[in-house]
Amino acid sequence: MILFALAAAAWHWLLQDIVPVYQIKGISKLVKLCLPKVQCFCDSLTSPPSERQFNALLMSVASLLANIVGRSFLAVSLVPTCIRRNGWTSLELKSFGILLVTSLIIAPGRQHTSLAVMSGLQMAASVPLSKKGDFLALDLGGSKFKVLRVKVSEDGKQNVQMESQFYPTPSEIVNGSKHELFDYVADCLGDFMKKRQITEKLPLGFTFSFPCKKTRLDEGVLLSWTKDYKVRGVHQTDVVKALRKTLKKKRNNNVEVLALVNDTVGTMMTCGYDDQLCEVGVIVGTGTNACYMENLNNIDLVEGDEGRMCINTEWGAFGDDGVLDDIRTHFDNEIDLGSVNPGKQLFEKMISGLYMGELVRLILLKMAKKGLLFGGKVSTALRTKGKIETSHVAAMEKYNEGLANTRQILLDLGLEISEDDCIAVQHVATIVSFRSANLCAAALAAILTRLRKNKKLDRMRTTVGMDGTVYRTHPQYAKRLHKVVRRLLPNCDVRFLLSESGSGKGAAMVTAVACRLLSQRKQIDEVLEQLQISDEKLVEIKLRMIAELKYGLKKETHDSATVKMLPTYVYGTPDGTENGNFLALDLGGTNFRVLLVKIRSGRRRYVRMYNKIFAIPLEIMQGTGEELFDHIVECIAEFLDYMGIKGAPLPLGFTFSFPCQQDRIDKGKLVGWTKGFKATDCEGQDVVDMLREAIKRRNVSKPHDSTGCCTTENNNNSGNFTLDFKQLGLSVSPLFLQTLGT
């Protein structure tokens, strides 16, 4: 009840066109219980909020309610009954957009309820082809099937030439089997290539205007049919694989299918070729859909977080979960029940051209039965499904000719009409197409809002690629759509660009890019192939290493062995009884590290380390041995002073990460420098003795007594040693050195 009251209050605020703050203050206690963020917002206001503040509040309410109680509650709470009216206010449309934004926010992370379906197209919205040549494209999804040939040339600048041919999509194909559909597609492609005498092998892009789950560019598993398609045996099938199999059966070996593209993606790519600001594609035709460029770090369904990927929203399914029930009419319900996919694509059925004419027919039929039109008389044609098409609706609204067209259409339906009937019917057509444009505008505004927020811009300039028979042929649709989108998004400068050559050209653009990337991939693979090692070769390398290990361990072959197998004189590994404080040195890279290590054994055993890193300048690394070890001693002295432990008796271990020949744990002769070290007069010398000499030069050490010693630990190329640095505060005993060595 608290959440419902909050949502109701927020909606009341909306309907009153942002009422004074005191009207919402009454629910401050309820808000405080569940949404502190909104309470804080309300309390901070001293005057009616700005539109920007209002948008922020609504987005907070929408997002929080969506996360807490789900989108169904959000729809009931935030979408008003008055949205049934076709003359929506700007704020009513804005609220609808917010609802869709919330769905988009939720979608990328929820695969099972997602409206967003990966397009598999990871590239910029612009189309830098860098690939000339010929490409084929198929476009399947509308009332007609199209085959295209696209030629990309570089005559000073990139030019694209196209030739295409339309083929009908008979009802027996649309309602047939998988084999019949793909046989027909392959036959049409073969006919196109034969007429144009295409004999060379060409890459092909397949525009497939139905929801597909994709994991890569040349793959697409059909999730569901939309529009009036109901082909058997294709659901959950990879359509690219099916097309390739059919082409192979037809012995058409001159086609290589490289890309599967949704028609919205094709539209975006086509328009993106002409306007690089284009990063959204929208189709309003037989069906409706949209795509846009989303940040990869927002897409949970794919790996990676750098760059962007085109997302095919499949927004035609918006509302399938009941989120739009509050705005759907009984006419919408009747259309849905009479469709090939009841309960699916509900948003599309309120917008697209496949249903717009039928919606007008149902409204006219009901009005006639109630005696509001045609003197209460109904003709057989008016009772017949499909007798009013979307082309009729467009003709009714044609400028200066709409009324005459309406009269002729009604006469063709066998109706007895008056002048008032014609005016009323024309008004019905206007209302239906207006609602379609409004819904599409609100949904598009949601996508553009998300795009702007992704870019973190206060104001955004962008281009939307548009296509579809409704958008193209309806005389008023585009103008209405543009006007509503711009009214809903005052902080966006939106350009609408019609895709002159449809989505097929975009499929060819994607194919061109895919072809270029494939060519690059092959070249890269050729270079990297020599780095590939088979399992058989790895087994052989393992046996070679085993032999080298044996050579290095045997005295008679040690000198000639490449793997030296140097003794370290470390006779054991830690057993948990080690205890005490130790000093450690670590030399082996561009930095030198001195550490204080505290080890405690028993039930509360631990190892704690304190260290300081000192740089080894290049001139020291490549200078003389004396300079190097003098620098090491200076670093040790500085660390002891830094830690405040000068004078404390501590054993010391030295990690010396270079090959050393050892004959005991505290002796190590340098075999050779590695890793850029070139200090002179060191190779063949005992590094422990060199460190002792450096200490003497600093005049901080007394003559070494009989109990003092130095330990080195060398694990192939490293060592530990312990020294008796009396004035540096280090004292050792031979017994402890053995423990340290283990």
Side-chain angles (χ1 to χ4, degrees):
M1 290 301 294
I2 291 174
L3 292 173
F4 187 84
L6 174 61
W11 186 244
H12 176 69
W13 195 13
L14 176 66
L15 293 182
Q16 296 301 319
D17 289 339
I18 314 177
V19 297
V21 175
Y22 68 86
Q23 288 186 252
I24 201 170
K25 287 274 188 173
I27 63 162
S28 61
K29 291 184 179 180
L30 298 179
V31 177
K32 191 172 183 179
L33 290 173
C34 58
L35 299 176
K37 182 188 293 187
V38 182
Q39 168 64 36
C40 181
F41 176 88
C42 295
D43 288 344
S44 68
L45 297 176
T46 57
S47 61
S50 65
E51 183 177 5
R52 184 175 179 181
Q53 291 173 316
F54 171 72
N55 287 340
L57 175 64
L58 272 186
M59 187 58 69
S60 297
V61 172
S63 298
L64 289 170
L65 285 177
N67 289 332
I68 295 171
V69 296
R71 286 178 288 165
S72 295
F73 176 86
L74 179 63
V76 173
S77 301
L78 291 185
V79 181
T81 304
C82 69
I83 209 168
R84 295 180 186 276
R85 303 194 315 268
N86 291 280
W88 295 353
T89 67
S90 173
L91 291 177
E92 288 170 342
L93 284 168
K94 187 176 294 183
S95 70
F96 181 84
I98 289 171
L99 183 63
L100 184 56
V101 166
T102 306
S103 291
L104 290 172
I105 291 170
I106 295 172
R110 298 188 184 177
Q111 186 171 0
H112 60 287
T113 59
S114 177
L115 291 174
V117 181
M118 289 182 296
S119 73
L121 178 64
Q122 184 177 351
M123 58 183 73
S126 57
V127 194
L129 296 181
S130 301
K131 180 70 178 178
K132 60 182 180 179
D134 288 10
F135 307 92
L136 293 172
L138 306 178
D139 190 348
L140 177 67
S143 55
K144 294 180 180 179
F145 169 57
K146 185 165 64 170
V147 184
L148 305 93
R149 181 183 186 179
V150 181
K151 295 184 178 182
V152 180
S153 60
E154 294 178 338
D155 303 325
K157 66 175 184 177
Q158 220 163 59
N159 293 314
V160 177
Q161 297 177 337
M162 291 194 315
E163 51 182 330
S164 63
Q165 182 173 340
F166 285 95
Y167 294 88
T169 50
S171 59
E172 58 267 24
I173 296 296
V174 171
N175 297 290
S177 67
K178 176 178 76 173
H179 299 297
E180 292 171 337
L181 172 65
F182 286 100
D183 282 348
Y184 180 73
V185 170
D187 289 341
C188 292
L189 177 60
D191 176 73
F192 180 86
M193 296 177 70
K194 183 178 179 179
K195 288 180 179 178
R196 287 153 183 80
Q197 298 179 346
I198 300 174
T199 56
E200 71 272 25
K201 189 170 185 176
L202 296 179
L204 180 142
F206 188 11
T207 298
F208 190 70
S209 307
F210 303 96
C212 286
K213 181 180 179 182
K214 304 190 68 176
T215 56
R216 60 178 198 257
L217 188 58
D218 61 344
E219 176 188 274
V221 176
L222 178 66
L223 297 178
S224 64
W225 287 116
T226 59
K227 306 159 192 174
D228 57 349
Y229 278 69
K230 204 172 183 180
V231 181
R232 302 182 301 277
V234 189
H235 184 250
Q236 295 299 323
T237 296
D238 183 351
V239 295
V240 174
K241 186 176 180 181
L243 178 59
R244 286 171 174 164
K245 185 177 180 180
T246 304
L247 291 172
K248 185 177 180 180
K249 182 181 71 173
K250 298 283 185 179
R251 296 184 179 179
N252 188 342
N253 300 318
N254 291 332
V255 174
E256 184 179 11
V257 185
L258 292 183
L260 180 73
V261 181
N262 184 268
D263 55 348
T264 58
V265 180
T267 296
M268 184 189 74
M269 295 296 288
T270 298
C271 295
Y273 184 77
D274 299 319
D275 184 344
Q276 295 192 359
L277 287 178
C278 182
E279 46 195 352
V280 180
V282 177
I283 299 286
V284 189
T286 306
T288 183
N289 193 15
C291 72
Y292 73 103
M293 299 302 294
E294 177 61 79
N295 293 347
L296 263 176
N297 58 5
N298 293 330
I299 309 173
D300 293 344
L301 302 180
V302 295
E303 295 182 359
D305 55 7
E306 294 293 330
R308 300 198 297 170
M309 176 180 283
C310 180
I311 288 291
N312 166 24
T313 66
E314 288 299 340
W315 76 12
F318 183 43
D320 286 2
D321 57 356
V323 73
L324 298 181
D325 286 353
D326 214 36
I327 67 172
R328 296 180 67 243
T329 67
H330 69 276
F331 299 115
D332 297 310
N333 292 332
E334 191 170 346
I335 283 181
D336 178 47
L337 292 174
S339 67
V340 297
N341 54 349
K344 303 294 184 182
Q345 300 294 114
L346 298 183
F347 190 57
E348 180 175 86
K349 291 170 183 174
M350 301 168 70
I351 291 178
S352 70
L354 184 61
Y355 309 99
M356 194 180 295
E358 182 63 9
L359 182 58
V360 169
R361 186 190 70 83
L362 291 175
I363 295 172
L364 297 183
L365 180 61
K366 183 171 182 178
M367 293 176 70
K369 287 181 177 180
K370 288 190 173 184
L372 301 175
L373 288 174
F374 320 129
K377 296 179 181 180
V378 178
S379 67
T380 302
L382 187 60
R383 295 180 185 272
T384 304
K385 181 179 178 180
K387 282 297 183 178
I388 298 182
E389 300 176 353
T390 299
S391 59
H392 295 142
V393 178
M396 291 176 185
E397 292 199 73
K398 192 171 183 181
Y399 186 69
N400 285 338
E401 301 176 19
L403 205 57
N405 291 339
T406 303
R407 174 180 290 277
Q408 188 58 51
I409 292 168
L410 294 178
L411 290 174
D412 291 343
L413 292 173
L415 295 166
E416 297 180 6
I417 58 174
S418 65
E419 190 69 19
D420 288 341
D421 287 336
C422 293
I423 294 173
V425 170
Q426 188 183 43
H427 184 63
V428 170
T430 299
I431 291 297
V432 169
S433 61
F434 237 123
R435 186 184 75 154
S436 171
N438 282 345
L439 286 170
C440 186
L444 177 56
I447 288 178
L448 294 174
T449 297
R450 181 170 180 85
L451 201 59
R452 182 179 62 81
K453 290 183 180 297
N454 283 348
K455 295 182 177 183
K456 298 180 173 60
L457 296 175
D458 293 330
R459 189 172 192 87
M460 180 180 71
R461 181 186 173 200
T462 191
T463 298
V464 178
M466 299 294 304
D467 199 8
T469 53
V470 174
Y471 185 85
R472 282 175 173 271
T473 62
H474 193 291
Q476 309 294 334
Y477 197 93
K479 180 174 64 176
R480 292 167 181 166
L481 176 68
H482 302 170
K483 184 176 180 180
V484 176
V485 168
R486 287 168 178 147
R487 190 168 81 236
L488 294 176
L489 295 172
N491 51 357
C492 287
D493 299 316
V494 184
R495 180 193 180 204
F496 293 88
L497 182 61
L498 178 64
S499 175
E500 295 296 340
S501 51
S503 56
K505 176 182 173 182
M509 298 295 101
V510 175
T511 306
V513 175
C515 190
R516 171 173 57 83
L517 295 178
L518 180 62
S519 176
Q520 290 177 351
R521 183 73 240 178
K522 288 180 179 178
Q523 295 177 31
I524 293 172
D525 288 343
E526 289 175 0
V527 174
L528 297 180
E529 186 177 3
Q530 55 190 321
L531 299 177
Q532 301 294 325
I533 303 176
S534 65
D535 289 346
E536 293 78 8
K537 181 61 68 174
L538 290 174
V539 171
E540 184 180 337
I541 293 171
K542 180 190 73 172
L543 295 176
R544 293 177 188 175
M545 176 58 81
I546 290 174
E548 285 295 326
L549 296 179
K550 291 180 180 178
Y551 295 153
L553 289 171
K554 290 184 177 295
K555 185 175 182 180
E556 57 271 19
T557 57
H558 176 80
D559 291 341
S560 61
T562 55
V563 182
K564 285 303 182 182
M565 307 296 286
L566 301 174
T568 66
Y569 295 91
V570 176
Y571 295 102
T573 57
D575 60 8
T577 62
E578 293 77 20
N579 195 66
N581 297 338
F582 307 91
L583 201 64
L585 312 180
D586 186 357
L587 177 66
T590 55
N591 294 324
F592 170 61
R593 187 166 57 150
V594 185
L595 307 92
L596 174 65
V597 183
K598 296 183 178 182
I599 304 176
R600 297 294 180 269
S601 60
R603 294 181 62 183
R604 297 184 178 180
R605 67 179 189 174
Y606 64 81
V607 177
R608 294 176 182 168
M609 294 191 299
Y610 310 89
N611 68 87
K612 189 171 183 180
I613 296 175
F614 300 89
I616 306 263
L618 183 63
E619 58 270 20
I620 297 293
M621 293 172 60
Q622 300 183 359
T624 66
E626 286 189 0
E627 291 172 340
L628 174 62
F629 284 93
D630 286 346
H631 180 73
I632 291 173
V633 172
E634 290 290 342
C635 294
I636 296 172
E638 183 178 336
F639 178 77
L640 294 175
D641 187 57
Y642 171 77
M643 293 298 297
I645 55 174
K646 221 170 188 179
L650 291 175
L652 179 144
F654 189 6
T655 298
F656 190 73
S657 302
F658 303 94
C660 284
Q661 179 73 50
Q662 291 186 246
D663 52 23
R664 61 186 220 209
I665 199 169
D666 60 347
K667 289 289 184 182
K669 292 182 179 180
L670 177 64
V671 175
W673 286 117
T674 60
K675 295 177 281 189
F677 277 75
K678 294 182 180 179
T680 60
D681 303 324
C682 293
E683 295 181 357
Q685 301 297 315
D686 186 342
V687 294
V688 175
D689 287 341
M690 295 188 73
L691 185 56
R692 288 195 182 103
E693 292 299 323
I695 295 168
K696 291 178 180 178
R697 286 193 297 274
R698 194 177 186 277
N699 196 25
V700 295
S701 178
K702 295 181 179 179
H704 202 286
D705 60 21
S706 60
T707 62
C709 65
C710 171
T711 346
T712 64
E713 178 185 354
N714 190 310
N715 188 0
N716 188 15
N717 66 347
S718 63
N720 265 342
F721 71 78
T722 304
L723 291 171
D724 181 17
F725 293 174
K726 294 194 181 297
Q727 289 192 5
L728 285 179
L730 303 176
S731 178
V732 299
S733 69
L735 179 61
F736 187 81
L737 289 174
Q738 184 63 36
T739 304
L740 178 63
T742 62

